[in-house]
Structures are given as structure tokens and as C-alpha cells.
Amino acid sequence: MKVLLIGMLGHSGSIYGAKTPYELVGIARGCTEENPAPLQKNAADRGIPYFDDPVAAMDALRPDAAVINTVYAYNGKLAIEALNRGIHVYCEKPVATEPARLAQVEEAASKSDALLFAMLTARFESHFYTAKKLIDAGTIGKLRIMTGQKSYKLGTRPDFYADRALYGGTIPWVAIHSLDQLLWLSGEGFESVSAYHSSLDNGDNGTMERTCVMNMRLTGDILAASTADFLRPEKAPTHGDDRIRVAGLNGVIEVRGGEVYLTDAEHDGLTPLPKEEPEQIFDCFLRLCADPEARKDPLYRDISAIEATRLGLALRDSADANR
């Protein structure tokens, strides 16, 4: 499998350490707003070509797959270029930062035999994967309410975070992991949403929202809520604090601190459960590229993040319009 890397601004590091063999054949800058120096160094260190133009790189190298991870507003456009060429896409989320572009990405993916696979890294963390297995096994019965949390350290953010047109918003960028968990764990879609977000005290990061609160009614009349923020203390032991609580008629599953807890007739909700280990995310991408039938497994429902992106954009727009 020949792979082209386009940009290095998010989860592109998840391609390293895969057990499945592949060949990194080139590195390209995704847009003029991206600093080329780290990309050029990466290419030079590996002895592979560097390109300033990502589309030219696709045409020159004819890769089997493209890893698209540039300034977020450009991910959708580049995904379309790749899909139209029959190139598999491993794309940073959100796969689009505007509804019109998302519709174009969805159409391109539907017309292409190539795979669109988003960097939904949380699905491939053992604690969330274990929660999914337990819920699908009916451990807590019929689901009724769900809550999620994403909290990050603010740190020093690249300049484009300060520009909504390039960043896309904290809900579709940060909260999307939690939103995807709500949809993935429940197996449901969404019907109505409302949200608030604030850029107050955001460390001089322009329009970047630092705090977000989201409410949703999912199909099946499941009520859901999530929060996202850049308020994780700098001295905290981990960069993120990601949590999920799913309550059903027969019990409650909680994911917190990288552990899974079950409260029901036989479990006290205080003792961590044994965790199952999923495959590494890029191994999964490479496997699904080679095996179209495997993509039909319900475990990989919306692995393209089309619906999760649609939900994130709906919530962001609700918060913008205060309705």
C-alpha cells in the first residue's frame, strides 16, 4: 500500500506503529497556511519527495491512500480530490467545516469505491471499545440517557485556531469525539439539537471557543448531552479528560480515567472492568481498504464521520444562532 501524507496538524501521528506494512511515498503541505518546515524535514529524514501542492502530489505519486491532516477547513476539499481519483482517504475530523462542503464530501464518497475513514481515534481506545462491546451485548438494556465530556489543555495553539473560517469551531473539532461516541455507542442518529459556546478567556485565540455545552435528542427518544472545553489544568497528568456515561433500563456504564465501570445488580460501579484491546486505528484503515466486505461490519458504522460531522456542525450553528 503506497501512502501519501498531506499535512501534520492533528492525528496524523496515528499512522506510525501500525503492524500492517505500507510504504510512505511522499509528503505534501495541505495549504499555504500550514508551515512547510516540519513537513520538509519529515520528508528529508525519510528520503522521500516533498510537495507544496497536494493535488500535484496525488497525480505525480498515484498513491493507494492519502492521509489528509492539514488546516481543518481544507480537509474536505482534499478528501474530495482524493476520492475522485480512487484514492483511499484517512482524514482528520471533521471531514468538512461547512454543511455545503460536507454534502460534497458525502457525494464524492458515495460515488467512489475508495474508502473514506476519519481519524475517530477514541473508537480505538480500549476503554471506549470495551464500553461499545458491553452495550452491544445488551449489558445495560435499553438505552435512555447519555452524557459525554471532552476536556483538553489549552497550551499554545497554531494561529489558524483563532480564525473560525480555518479552524471550523471547537464543537466540530474537539467535541466531535464525544459526539461520535454518543452516536456509535447507541447506534442511533439525531433528531434535534441545541448548544451554547463561548470564546471568553480563550488565551487571545481570536474567535476560538473555549467552552461548549450541547444537548441532543437522538432517535429512539434517547436524550444526550455533552460538554467540551480547553480548561484541563496544565499540570494535569494527561492532556485530555474524556468521559462517557450511558444509562439503560438495566444499569449504567461509565468511562472515566481510561477505565470502564458498570453499575447493575451485580456490579458496584467502583471496580474497573477488564478491557478489550482493539486493533490499532491505522491497521484497521489499511485492512478495510483491502476488504470492502469488512466495511459492512456494524462496528464500523459511520467510520467516515459523515453523521458525526453533520451533528457537530448542527450544534455549532445552533450555538452561533442561539436557537
Side-chain angles (χ1 to χ4, degrees):
M1 177 78 76
K2 296 191 299 181
V3 175
L4 167 66
L5 174 61
I6 301 174
M8 297 193 309
L9 290 177
H11 293 84
S12 61
S14 61
I15 71 172
Y16 305 116
K19 298 177 182 178
T20 308
Y22 69 91
E23 181 186 5
L24 192 61
V25 295
I27 296 176
R29 181 165 65 159
C31 62
T32 56
E33 290 87 353
E34 186 172 5
N35 179 8
L39 297 155
Q40 292 168 335
K41 183 179 185 306
N42 194 0
D45 288 346
R46 297 174 183 277
I48 56 178
Y50 165 81
F51 294 78
D52 265 324
D53 184 336
V55 177
M58 293 183 207
D59 291 337
L61 299 175
R62 298 185 178 276
D64 300 300
V67 175
I68 297 175
N69 188 201
T70 186
V71 171
Y72 312 139
Y74 294 98
N75 287 334
K77 178 179 182 296
L78 292 172
I80 292 168
E81 293 283 0
L83 291 167
N84 287 345
R85 288 167 170 77
I87 299 171
H88 300 294
V89 174
Y90 181 63
C91 189
E92 181 60 280
K93 42 73 202 159
V95 294
T97 55
E98 296 298 335
R101 179 68 79 193
L102 178 62
Q104 293 169 349
V105 172
E106 187 173 17
E107 180 180 14
S110 70
K111 292 181 177 179
S112 178
D113 291 331
L115 173 65
L116 174 62
F117 187 116
M119 297 182 190
L120 297 172
T121 52
R123 292 192 186 191
F124 294 83
E125 294 174 355
S126 60
H127 36 286
F128 289 120
Y129 180 77
T130 299
K132 172 66 172 172
K133 290 290 190 179
L134 290 168
I135 290 168
D136 284 356
T139 304
I140 59 172
K142 185 179 181 181
L143 308 189
R144 302 307 306 128
I145 196 165
M146 309 175 72
T147 56
Q149 170 185 298
K150 285 290 295 183
S151 182
Y152 283 163
K153 296 178 181 179
L154 178 61
T156 301
R157 296 283 153 177
D159 290 344
F160 75 88
Y161 274 68
D163 184 348
R164 164 64 75 79
L166 297 176
Y167 173 47
T170 296
I171 291 177
W173 161 240
V174 175
I176 192 171
H177 284 295
S178 178
L179 301 177
D180 178 64
Q181 288 295 313
L182 298 176
L183 298 178
W184 182 57
L185 293 174
S186 68
E188 300 289 345
F190 70 96
E191 293 183 340
S192 60
V193 306
S194 64
Y196 296 96
H197 55 197
S198 172
S199 58
L200 189 66
D201 299 317
N202 70 355
D204 296 322
N205 279 289
T207 58
M208 186 196 81
E209 303 88 6
R210 192 169 185 181
T211 53
C212 313
V213 175
M214 298 148 279
N215 294 300
M216 295 144 274
R217 183 184 295 275
L218 306 184
T219 55
D221 206 29
I222 297 171
L223 304 184
S226 183
T227 63
D229 63 72
F230 284 109
L231 293 172
R232 182 87 164 139
E234 289 301 319
K235 291 187 178 181
T238 59
H239 175 66
D241 181 8
D242 305 338
R243 306 184 186 197
I244 287 285
R245 179 181 183 271
V246 185
L249 295 181
N250 297 337
V252 177
I253 287 175
E254 294 178 88
V255 176
R256 60 184 188 273
E259 300 291 348
V260 185
Y261 300 89
L262 172 62
T263 308
D264 64 5
E266 299 176 359
H267 300 82
D268 61 8
L270 301 175
T271 305
L273 299 181
K275 290 182 288 187
E276 295 189 45
E277 290 293 335
E279 63 188 316
Q280 201 259 10
I281 185 172
F282 200 61
D283 281 313
C284 181
F285 168 71
L286 295 172
R287 179 170 61 81
L288 296 188
C289 286
D291 187 358
E293 282 301 308
R295 303 173 199 173
K296 299 176 184 178
D297 187 329
L299 188 63
Y300 306 116
R301 175 182 183 266
D302 192 34
I303 200 69
S304 61
I306 295 293
E307 194 69 5
T309 301
R310 197 188 327 276
L311 175 55
L313 296 181
L315 286 159
R316 181 200 68 188
D317 293 347
S318 167
D320 281 348
N322 194 28
R323 63 177 173 83

